[in-house]
């Protein structure tokens, strides 16, 4: 939940590490660790993860996606049982899973596109997956199934934000006044206790050639388009909500340039405000938090100068009301030529703990890209 789907892959290869002008000193890269490379066919990638506790977690993505291949079963699903990650199967029509949200081990939702690239949703009831009928209105990007009725967000085929809600029998569209005024869509959604919900993405205000951040939210029982600080050439890709008065959104400004700028916004129950990031240049993808208010943000480093290698994959950490930069471990760090930075699409707190899962992919010289699971705590 709350992750950018199908974002560009980033692989870093190099042998020299240097200090970067303007960067905030990073914490020691001893916290995050590679937990698993799930048994999926390359090229593979995990795009979202959701946990119900220390012994139960789910991750979705794709596999067998090598250039020139037509995979028989492209959808990927892996599950954590407290000891190992093992592969499972989604319903046959599932072609491109984009998100997963687990309420408990017998109530799990997954959304994405089917083999006709129409929106598709499925629910695990503890025994089997059941497909959920959805009108072909666009594409599904994310789902949040906790804290009330499941919410699904995405983009309309004709352009504009799409919000769907499960009423116990069927998916129905939620009307958010003004959200269809400009072309755009929603990438991530998060819910909080007492019915609060926040969904983030981007839209082209005044039909401009560049996007601006978009947030729609339900606070006080009413959906509305949020008023945001003016930011051009920017998109939001991740969101986390601790409560109706404490939510965070992350994304990137000038995301298609060689020097992208991180974008962080915070909701305090009254307004959304920009927050200074601890690094000048980075792409930000997803954000996850724990009940104590600590946050982890997954990101990717900007294009590196020739002969320069970053210390590892990029994270931002919020703890004690302070932001810092943390570098995760490289994969194959013992081989300087093939050492690579994992690209993590999603991050999720493990309920009942201070630990987090992160999922994504990493470049492999023999297998193209392979799915990866990381963990801290």
């Amino acid at each position: 939940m709350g992750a950018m789907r199908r974002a560009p892959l980033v692989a870093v290869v190099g042998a020299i590490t240097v200090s970067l002008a303007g960067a905030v000193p990073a914490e020691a890269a001893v916290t995050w660790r590679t937990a698993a490379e799930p048994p999926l066919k390359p090229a593979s990638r995990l795009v979202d993860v959701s946990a119900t506790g220390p012994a139960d977690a789910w991750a979705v993505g794709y596999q067998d996606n090598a250039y020139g291949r037509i995979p028989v079963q492209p959808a990927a699903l892996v599950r954590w049982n407290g000891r190992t990650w093992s592969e499972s199967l989604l319903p046959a029509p599932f072609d491109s899973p984009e998100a997963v949200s687990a309420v408990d081990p017998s109530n799990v939702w997954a959304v994405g596109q089917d083999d006709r690239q129409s929106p598709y949703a499925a629910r695990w009831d503890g025994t089997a997956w059941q497909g959920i009928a959805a009108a072909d209105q666009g594409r599904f990007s994310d789902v949040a199934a906790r804290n009330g009725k499941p919410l699904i967000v995405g983009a309309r085929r004709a352009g504009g934000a799409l919000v769907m809600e499960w009423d116990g029998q069927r998916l129905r569209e939620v009307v958010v006044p003004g959200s269809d005024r400009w072309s755009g869509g929603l990438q991530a959604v998060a819910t909080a206790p007492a019915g609060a919900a926040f969904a983030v993405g981007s839209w082209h205000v005044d039909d401009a050639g560049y996007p601006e951040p978009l947030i729609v939210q339900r606070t006080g029982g009413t959906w509305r388009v949020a008023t945001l600080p003016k930011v051009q050439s920017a998109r939001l890709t991740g969101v986390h909500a601790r409560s109706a008065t404490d939510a965070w959104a992350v994304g990137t400004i000038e995301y298609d340039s060689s020097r992208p700028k991180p974008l962080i916004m915070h909701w305090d129950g009254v307004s959304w405000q920009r927050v200074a990031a601890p690094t000048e240049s980075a792409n930000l993808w997803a954000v996850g938090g724990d009940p104590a208010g600590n946050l982890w943000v997954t990101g990717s480093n900007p294009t590196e100068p020739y002969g320069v290698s970053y210390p590892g994959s990029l994270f931002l950490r919020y703890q004690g009301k302070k932001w810092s930069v943390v570098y995760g471990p490289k994969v194959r760090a013992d081989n300087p030529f093939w050492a690579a930075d994992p690209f993590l699409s999603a991050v999720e707190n493990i309920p009942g703990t201070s630990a987090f899962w992160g999922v994504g992919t990493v470049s492999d010289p023999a297998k193209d890209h392979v799915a990866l699971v990381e963990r801290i705590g």
Side-chain angles (χ1 to χ4, degrees), residues 15 59 65 95 115 125 136 148 171 174 178 185 189 216 222 277 306 313 358 365 373:
N65 197 42
D95 181 81
D115 51 11
D125 62 8
D136 189 5
L171 289 171
V174 175
V189 61
V216 301
T222 302
Y306 179 76
S313 52
V373 178

Side-chain angles (χ1 to χ4, degrees), residues 181-182 203-209 212 230:
R181 185 177 181 184
W182 310 112
W203 59 352
H204 293 259
V205 177
D206 294 328
D207 294 324
E212 296 182 13
K230 186 76 170 180

Side-chain angles (χ1 to χ4, degrees), residues 247-311:
W248 294 86
V250 301
T252 309
I253 305 168
E254 299 177 8
Y255 52 86
D256 55 355
S257 73
S258 62
R259 299 297 294 176
K261 301 176 178 63
L263 177 60
I264 303 175
M265 291 187 173
H266 180 248
W267 167 258
D268 61 5
V270 177
S271 64
W272 285 95
Q273 300 293 332
R274 284 188 64 177
V275 175
T279 183
E280 294 180 358
S281 185
N283 288 286
L284 302 184
W285 302 114
V287 55
D290 64 22
N294 303 307
L295 304 173
W296 283 100
V297 177
T298 63
S300 56
N301 296 303
T303 303
E304 55 192 3
Y306 179 76
V308 174
S309 176
Y310 293 98

Side-chain angles (χ1 to χ4, degrees), residues 27-221:
E27 297 182 14
V30 296
T31 50
W32 285 90
R33 61 182 174 84
T34 300
E37 291 185 11
L40 301 174
K41 297 178 181 179
S44 61
R45 178 183 176 190
L46 295 174
V47 298
D48 200 18
V49 62
S50 184
T52 67
D56 183 58
W58 305 70
V60 297
Y62 61 83
Q63 64 177 328
D64 199 16
N65 197 42
Y67 179 77
R69 285 187 56 81
I70 301 177
V72 176
Q73 180 65 34
L77 170 69
V78 293
R79 186 178 185 182
W80 170 255
N81 63 6
R83 298 180 302 277
T84 61
W85 287 91
S86 59
E87 184 180 6
S88 189
L89 293 177
L90 286 163
F94 235 137
D95 181 81
S96 304
E98 299 285 352
V100 62
S101 181
V103 181
D104 57 55
S106 61
N107 185 6
V108 183
W109 284 73
V111 302
Q113 289 26 270
D114 64 15
D115 51 11
R116 299 170 301 165
Q117 292 306 295
S118 297
Y120 190 81
R123 179 178 175 270
W124 171 259
D125 62 8
T127 303
W129 285 94
Q130 303 294 329
I132 305 295
D136 189 5
Q137 295 180 327
R139 69 181 286 118
F140 290 161
S141 298
D142 199 13
V143 57
R146 300 171 186 165
N147 300 308
K149 300 176 181 178
L151 290 172
I152 299 172
V153 301
R156 299 175 179 278
R157 291 198 184 280
L162 177 64
V163 180
M164 306 287 287
E165 185 177 58
W166 176 250
D167 65 6
Q169 300 294 325
R170 62 183 179 88
L171 289 171
R172 65 175 185 86
E173 184 176 356
V174 175
V175 177
V176 183
S179 64
D180 59 352
R181 185 177 181 184
W182 310 112
S183 175
L186 298 170
Q187 291 288 348
V189 61
T191 57
F198 303 86
V200 305
S202 61
W203 59 352
H204 293 259
V205 177
D206 294 328
D207 294 324
Y210 53 80
E212 296 182 13
L214 168 65
I215 298 179
V216 301
Q217 62 188 61
R218 181 178 63 195
T219 49

Side-chain angles (χ1 to χ4, degrees), residues 329-356:
K330 286 183 179 290
V331 174
R332 295 178 301 278
D334 57 341
N335 185 332
F337 186 74
W338 292 117
D341 299 341
F343 178 94
L344 299 183
S345 307
V347 61
E348 167 87 350
N349 174 239
I350 302 173
T353 77
S354 60
F356 286 75

